[in-house]
Amino acid sequence: GNLIENKDNMVELGSVCKIVGRIGFRGYTRNDLVGSKEDGAISLSPGNIKNNTFFYDNPTYVSWEKYEESPEIMINENDIIFCKTGSTVGKVAIVKNLPHKATINPQLVVLKDIKCNPSYLSYLMGSKYFQKEVSRIKGLGSIPTISQKDLSKLLVSIPPIEKQNYIVNVLDRFDALINDITVGLPAEIELRRQQYEYYRNKLLNFEELSCE
């Protein structure tokens, strides 16, 4: 059945994590940007997320002072980062192998203190079901945006931890295949990606997997 029918496990996103963004008056301007990692921390942006994975090439750095100013959005391994503003609303990824201290730019929020398998939650938030919910509530202005409050009220299905771990194991293997672009031809990679999407949506809708 579909996630929504799976009423037992439905909870508000805000009940399984803490959602934190950059406080408005602590935004930053070009003057806060620095040229190298010696001088500051990475400021993650939606551009760092591709296919629900973080890439840290060509990072933007902000001064240590700006980084220290907002301890609540300092980034740790296994935090989940979600894009709440702009054309890429809904982009989401889990932080893995962070190469340097990092914070977030004003378009993003970070999910911390996650009370379930963080990889599971990240996959769930990238799924069709969740992205549809995001589209439903994002503002229709010229700059789409979703408030932290609305985000925290979206329902997510949190099954028992064994089931979460099982789903993560399956999807992690696919993920590794897809992101290992060195292996395989573009057509093959595209096929793998479609297969992965198919399995992700099936698994996260808790449908029985049939090997069609």
Side-chain angles (χ1 to χ4, degrees):
N2 182 303
L3 269 179
I4 286 289
E5 291 159 20
N6 201 336
K7 289 270 198 306
D8 317 343
N9 301 315
M10 295 302 273
V11 295
E12 289 188 351
L13 180 61
S15 70
V16 289
C17 64
K18 194 164 95 203
I19 302 173
V20 206
R22 182 172 280 282
I23 298 170
F25 61 83
R26 291 189 185 157
Y28 57 81
T29 63
R30 289 200 170 282
N31 299 339
D32 296 307
L33 301 182
V34 293
S36 75
K37 64 179 190 189
E38 283 67 49
D39 300 325
I42 294 176
S43 179
L44 293 170
S45 77
N48 290 110
I49 303 176
K50 299 183 189 80
N51 301 323
N52 300 87
T53 305
F54 267 109
F55 291 89
Y56 306 102
D57 31 3
N58 308 323
T60 299
Y61 296 102
V62 292
S63 67
W64 287 122
E65 194 184 357
K66 270 286 155 195
Y67 172 73
E68 303 289 349
E69 179 186 48
S70 299
E72 71 284 1
I73 52 172
M74 290 175 178
I75 301 306
N76 299 314
E77 288 286 306
N78 290 320
D79 285 347
I80 294 175
I81 300 197
F82 178 86
C83 181
K84 69 173 171 74
T85 305
S87 58
T88 52
V89 164
K91 256 190 170 188
V92 63
I94 186 167
V95 176
K96 296 273 188 206
N97 312 315
L98 194 63
H100 186 58
K101 289 188 166 161
T103 181
I104 50 173
N105 87 358
Q107 290 171 280
L108 303 173
V109 288
V110 55
L111 281 54
K112 290 186 165 287
D113 306 340
I114 298 168
K115 300 182 179 67
C116 61
N117 182 324
S119 294
Y120 168 78
L121 189 58
S122 170
Y123 282 128
L124 182 65
M125 290 175 73
S127 72
K128 242 188 206 132
Y129 156 75
F130 193 85
Q131 292 292 318
K132 214 156 72 190
E133 289 297 281
V134 168
S135 299
R136 188 173 59 80
I137 62 171
K138 69 181 181 198
L140 295 171
S142 53
I143 299 176
T145 189
I146 178 171
S147 72
Q148 278 163 235
K149 193 171 156 220
D150 286 345
L151 181 60
S152 72
K153 290 200 162 7
L154 287 184
L155 294 177
V156 289
S157 180
I158 307 293
I161 191 73
E162 304 75 38
K163 180 125 197 188
Q164 294 173 40
N165 295 345
Y166 166 74
I167 289 173
V168 167
N169 286 337
V170 175
L171 293 179
D172 273 354
R173 275 189 297 229
F174 264 108
D175 217 31
L177 274 175
I178 288 168
N179 286 309
D180 189 0
I181 294 303
T182 50
V183 184
L185 303 162
E188 207 182 328
I189 290 163
E190 190 42 47
L191 196 68
R192 276 186 216 155
R193 184 163 289 142
Q194 287 166 3
Q195 210 180 2
Y196 162 73
E197 295 285 329
Y198 169 80
Y199 276 107
R200 178 173 67 184
N201 290 320
K202 278 279 204 209
L203 282 167
L204 293 170
N205 283 335
F206 307 106
E207 291 171 22
E208 288 311 309
L209 285 177
S210 59
C211 297
E212 287 153 57

